[in-house]
Amino acid sequence: METLSQTRIILSTMERLDSREHLPADLSALLGKTALLQAENTGGLQLDLSGIPLSQVPVCSPLNFSLDMKNFKVLTARIMEAILDERDVMPASMVDAVVQFQGVVEKKGLSFEQAWNEIQTRFAGGDFSGPVLKKWEEQIPDAPSALPFLVMAAAAPSIQAAGRAMAEAKGIDPEQIHAGGACPVCGSPPYMLELRGKEGQRFAHCSFCRFIYRIRRLACACCNIDKADQLSNFTAEGESGFQVETCAECNTYIKTIDFRELDREAFAPLNDLESLPLDMLAANYGYKRMAFSAWCI
Ligand SMILES: [Zn+2]
Ligand SMILES: [Zn+2]
């Protein structure tokens, strides 16, 4: 059931992306298709949560997450297949990258598993690019994030399920207000915020494990400062349902989804792309984004 309603929300969000001319259509096709494949591949995951310390908050670091390797491999193959099957509508640089990946994977010249380990390290605040990521960044200069994109996209169902399971095991209540803006499960920063309910309860979407948790209404989700004169927000014409929150203290911004007055449901990974013009505005004002998108791009 969950998959069906998720798929319905993704399809209606994709229609909106298509109707917006200023968005890159190839990127919309890529992310929409990938989101659908992720939703289809979430059932029956085998996750190993042994060895995860449940005595602290955040519960763990991105390094503690392990994947259902079968699901990861199947999804990696399906996403690559979809990119090649629909190459006419996909970003040309991504099609190119997938052709190169496929050319070496069978000869064991590329390990997606090793790339995943490097991405975990990156999220845990370690070396930004390990040897595998670095090699492919250099090899495909037109699509330097092609490999992180593919690996994170295929890992997402496992990561998300593991995050939820750990939250449950630890008794983390997503509706309760959490101190600071970082994810109570994995400690990563949020990539999108969302206002819900009559009172505009503020929720954060984790950039790594996609856990959704409530945070304070008036505080920077990055540095946690709560001085009103440092915090600001803006909206833009044509971007209904979205606003940007900025912090003068740490110079970051984050976008907030507010669909409370609109007849639609949020799907943050695609709403992030939908509100791309706001990223450009925020960058023009000199603010840095708080976290990567859910797609590592
Ligand atoms: Zn998280
Ligand atoms: Zn701040």
Side-chain angles (χ1 to χ4, degrees):
M1 280 311 281
E2 200 187 348
T3 301
L4 276 180
S5 73
Q6 189 82 314
T7 300
R8 185 181 50 76
I9 298 170
I10 294 169
L11 287 172
S12 72
T13 310
M14 284 170 76
E15 263 173 45
R16 275 178 196 273
L17 293 177
D18 286 345
S19 69
R20 310 206 55 186
E21 280 165 20
H22 60 275
L23 292 180
D26 54 357
L27 198 55
S28 299
L30 174 68
L31 302 192
K33 181 70 195 182
T34 306
L36 286 173
L37 287 170
Q38 288 172 335
E40 278 167 26
N41 287 275
T42 51
L45 293 167
Q46 302 289 324
L47 298 166
D48 177 14
L49 299 182
S50 60
I52 290 176
L54 292 173
S55 56
Q56 54 197 32
V57 171
V59 176
C60 64
S61 106
L63 291 171
N64 294 110
F65 281 69
S66 62
L67 306 179
D68 176 324
M69 269 304 153
K70 196 171 151 218
N71 182 271
F72 175 68
K73 281 179 187 155
V74 166
L75 199 45
T76 311
R78 287 206 177 138
I79 295 168
M80 290 201 292
E81 230 172 74
I83 290 170
L84 296 183
D85 283 353
E86 298 175 32
R87 63 172 71 213
D88 294 349
V89 295
M90 294 287 173
S93 58
M94 188 59 77
V95 174
D96 219 42
V98 168
V99 170
Q100 295 200 44
F101 295 154
Q102 286 195 328
V104 292
V105 156
E106 273 164 35
K107 291 179 233 149
K108 306 243 183 291
L110 167 59
S111 158
F112 291 127
E113 206 173 329
Q114 198 182 335
W116 152 247
N117 291 334
E118 291 179 12
I119 285 171
Q120 282 178 287
T121 312
R122 178 195 276 192
F123 270 94
D127 185 26
F128 193 70
S129 279
V132 177
L133 295 181
K134 207 175 171 84
K135 176 186 162 187
W136 286 94
E137 260 168 37
E138 286 164 8
Q139 192 137 328
I140 317 175
D142 289 344
S145 34
L147 186 57
F149 165 79
L150 180 62
V151 170
M152 262 310 265
S158 290
I159 301 175
Q160 192 170 355
R164 279 191 201 165
M166 283 185 242
E168 209 164 289
K170 167 77 183 172
I172 292 175
D173 180 359
E175 306 282 335
Q176 212 185 344
I177 297 178
H178 294 274
C183 174
V185 176
C186 74
S188 302
Y191 74 99
M192 285 288 264
L193 302 181
E194 185 186 348
L195 298 181
R196 292 179 181 174
K198 260 202 190 110
E199 278 131 51
Q201 297 173 339
R202 196 173 181 227
F203 285 83
H205 291 251
C206 174
S207 57
F208 181 72
C209 77
R210 297 194 179 187
F211 191 65
I212 304 170
Y213 51 98
R214 193 170 166 200
I215 58 171
R216 289 200 289 164
R217 182 74 200 256
L218 282 172
C220 171
C222 184
C223 72
N224 211 22
I225 199 166
D226 56 6
K227 291 188 190 130
D229 60 342
Q230 300 292 74
L231 305 171
S232 185
N233 62 69
F234 67 85
T235 55
E237 209 179 319
E239 302 298 327
S240 63
F242 298 101
Q243 66 177 37
V244 178
E245 297 182 29
T246 61
C247 173
E249 175 73 18
C250 67
N251 205 38
T252 64
Y253 77 93
I254 189 161
K255 295 183 291 184
T256 299
I257 304 165
D258 184 4
F259 290 172
R260 291 174 301 156
E261 309 262 297
L262 306 171
D263 181 26
R264 57 178 303 195
E265 286 172 273
F267 183 70
L270 293 182
N271 299 139
D272 190 5
L273 173 63
E274 182 182 347
S275 52
L276 186 65
L278 290 172
D279 290 284
M280 293 169 185
L281 276 176
N284 282 344
Y285 293 142
Y287 292 103
K288 292 190 307 274
R289 210 178 133 113
M290 207 171 285
F292 278 117
S293 77
W295 305 103
C296 272
I297 45 180

